[in-house]
């Protein structure tokens, strides 16, 4: 008999679909991950698991799960999974590309405007009762209109972000491991070397996945090359950024501000210096967090498990 382990609480309608395929064991917590020991124990007789980025799939997991056929990862990125190891055991690994592109780009755009116009500072200013009068430069921010915007990572999310920039008449630069002529032609984006993008951008947004090439890409040297009033936004992966270098850059005035939806350690340690900085806005990894998009992500995971159980090709296998 098949068994499916679901590492987070998901709507009943999806559980009911899975129950037509197998016995289902669900960790009924929405906001806290399944404890590692519980996860390992649950996998001993499991043939499938539906997981989030919180679950690290490594050699220990594979040894604990001898019957596993498919891992459905509720995310586009899969740096939480040792894909080569898993596939060497004949286990199918799937992700959820496509369905979250527009929602994530929308969140990134929201975060960029929030930081640029100092929205969080302004709201807190009002809440503290400090708003006494209008002032010419009271909480004055930075314009996006006609600005130079650099995008690091011109994949689907980067392109969706660039489309939104066109409405602000922004000048778009990008750097990627390979050129995307379609983005250049459709969006007027200019492919430039990484350092050129750093030096000339008023805003820089990172949408890149975590790879050995992107790890710590935004380090001390990178921040020093940026404009002193540049705004840095990261909706890619936390480990693309050297966070101590970012803290130093903000403290020393080497860049103007930052907005992060992803961090190296999630959730963030409450003693992290970024949390005490007025020019840093930190979000709890909510890039794809709309009801419609999360439903689509879960449905894709369910569909992938169903197809593998039916000895068919998964919709979105990681190759």
């Amino acid at each position: 008999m098949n068994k499916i382990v679901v590492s987070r609480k998901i709507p009943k309608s999806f559980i009911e679909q899975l129950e037509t395929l197998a016995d289902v064991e669900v960790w009924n917590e929405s906001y806290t991950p399944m404890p590692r020991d519980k996860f390992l124990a649950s996998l001993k007789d499991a043939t499938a698991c539906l997981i989030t980025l919180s679950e690290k799939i490594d050699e220990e997991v594979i040894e604990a799960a001898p019957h596993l056929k498919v891992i459905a990862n509720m995310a586009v990125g899969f740096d939480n999974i040792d894909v080569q190891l898993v596939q060497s055991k004949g286990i199918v690994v799937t992700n959820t590309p496509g369905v979250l592109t527009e929602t994530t780009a929308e969140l990134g755009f929201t975060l960029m405007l929030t930081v640029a116009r100092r929205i969080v500072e302004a709201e807190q200013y009002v809440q503290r009762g400090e708003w006494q009068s209008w002032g010419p430069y009271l909480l004055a921010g930075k314009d996006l209109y006609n600005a130079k915007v650099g995008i690091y990572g011109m994949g689907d999310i980067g392109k969706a972000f660039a489309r939104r920039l066109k409405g602000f008449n922004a000048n778009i630069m990008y750097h990627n491991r390979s050129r995307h002529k379609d983005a250049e032609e459709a969006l007027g984006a200019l492919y430039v070397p990484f350092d050129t993008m750093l030096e000339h951008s008023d805003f820089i947004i990172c949408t890149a996945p975590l790879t050995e090439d992107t790890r710590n890409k935004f380090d001390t040297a990178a921040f020093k090359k940026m404009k002193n009033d540049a705004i840095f936004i990261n909706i890619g992966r936390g480990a693309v950024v050297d966070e101590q270098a970012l803290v130093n850059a903000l403290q020393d005035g080497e860049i103007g501000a930052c907005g992060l939806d992803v961090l190296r350690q999630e959730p963030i340690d409450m003693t992290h210096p970024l949390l005490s900085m007025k020019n840093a806005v930190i979000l709890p990894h909510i890039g794809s967090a709309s009801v419609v998009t999360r439903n689509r992500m879960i449905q894709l995971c369910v569909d992938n498990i169903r197809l593998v159980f039916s000895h068919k090709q998964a919709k979105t296998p990681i190759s």
Side-chain angles (χ1 to χ4, degrees):
M1 182 64 180
N2 287 323
K3 174 186 171 184
I4 303 167
V5 174
V6 181
S7 67
R8 290 296 178 93
K9 184 178 181 179
I10 61 176
K12 184 179 178 181
S13 61
F14 299 112
I15 297 298
E16 289 174 345
Q17 290 183 58
L18 292 172
E19 286 175 339
T20 66
L21 306 174
D23 291 334
V24 180
E25 181 178 337
V26 184
W27 176 248
N28 276 311
E29 294 287 342
S30 298
Y31 308 121
T32 57
M34 181 183 270
R36 178 75 169 184
D37 58 349
K38 171 68 174 173
F39 184 55
L40 292 171
S42 298
L43 288 175
K44 286 183 178 180
D45 56 348
T47 45
C49 59
L50 194 165
I51 64 169
T52 69
L53 289 173
S54 300
E55 284 69 57
K56 183 176 177 62
I57 306 299
D58 53 16
E59 187 172 1
E60 183 181 30
V61 168
I62 298 308
E63 289 179 355
H67 308 292
L68 207 56
K69 297 177 182 178
V70 55
I71 299 170
N73 198 39
M74 190 184 158
V76 173
F78 43 87
D79 47 281
N80 57 316
I81 301 173
D82 186 335
V83 174
Q84 186 174 358
L85 170 65
V86 172
Q87 291 179 337
S88 74
K89 303 297 183 180
I91 301 168
V92 177
V93 189
T94 70
N95 63 343
T96 58
V99 295
L100 52 70
T101 298
E102 299 299 332
T103 302
T104 304
E106 191 172 286
L107 184 279
F109 212 87
T110 301
L111 182 55
M112 180 173 65
L113 288 174
T114 296
V115 176
R117 297 303 304 269
R118 302 172 66 181
I119 299 300
V120 174
E121 284 182 79
E123 195 275 340
Q124 292 174 344
Y125 182 83
V126 174
Q127 291 287 348
R128 291 193 301 265
E130 296 177 14
W131 185 22
Q132 301 298 317
S133 179
W134 182 89
Y137 292 95
L138 176 63
L139 292 160
K142 185 178 178 72
D143 288 323
L144 176 59
Y145 188 78
N146 276 341
K148 294 178 180 178
V149 182
I151 301 174
Y152 180 64
M154 190 59 90
D156 289 344
I157 294 172
K159 291 174 186 175
F161 193 90
R163 287 199 304 273
R164 288 159 171 78
L165 287 170
K166 295 303 292 180
F168 286 76
N169 202 38
N171 298 287
I172 306 169
M173 294 174 279
Y174 79 97
H175 184 78
N176 201 68
R177 63 182 178 181
S178 58
R179 290 184 67 171
H180 285 281
K181 295 291 184 66
D182 58 335
E184 293 173 27
E185 294 172 4
L187 303 167
L190 179 66
Y191 179 80
V192 296
F194 183 63
D195 285 356
T196 300
M197 182 187 73
L198 296 177
E199 292 166 4
H200 295 282
S201 296
D202 299 302
F203 297 83
I204 292 178
I205 179 154
C206 173
T207 68
L210 180 61
T211 67
E212 287 310 305
D213 290 333
T214 64
R215 188 181 297 275
N216 293 320
K217 186 71 171 180
F218 289 91
D219 57 9
T220 297
F223 289 120
K224 284 184 180 296
K225 290 183 174 72
M226 292 184 194
K227 295 182 177 182
N228 290 344
D229 64 345
I231 290 176
F232 174 70
I233 304 294
N234 188 13
I235 58 171
R237 282 292 181 265
V240 173
V241 179
D242 178 337
E243 283 179 7
Q244 187 55 55
L246 174 59
V247 168
N248 293 342
L250 291 166
Q251 289 176 334
D252 297 343
E254 289 174 347
I255 66 172
C258 77
L260 310 176
D261 186 45
V262 289
L263 295 113
R264 298 184 79 95
Q265 176 186 319
E266 296 179 2
I268 192 171
D269 189 308
M270 293 308 295
T271 64
H272 200 299
L274 285 171
L275 294 179
S276 62
M277 294 183 169
K278 290 183 178 180
N279 55 348
V281 175
I282 311 300
L283 302 182
H285 203 147
I286 56 171
S288 61
S290 76
V291 173
V292 168
T293 294
R294 290 290 164 86
N295 284 344
R296 288 173 176 166
M297 292 169 72
I298 297 170
Q299 186 63 60
L300 185 50
C301 289
V302 171
D303 291 345
N304 279 321
I305 292 171
R306 179 186 292 111
L307 287 166
V308 173
F309 278 6
S310 300
H311 307 288
K312 296 178 181 178
Q313 174 79 15
K315 282 187 176 181
T316 54
I318 296 170
S319 58

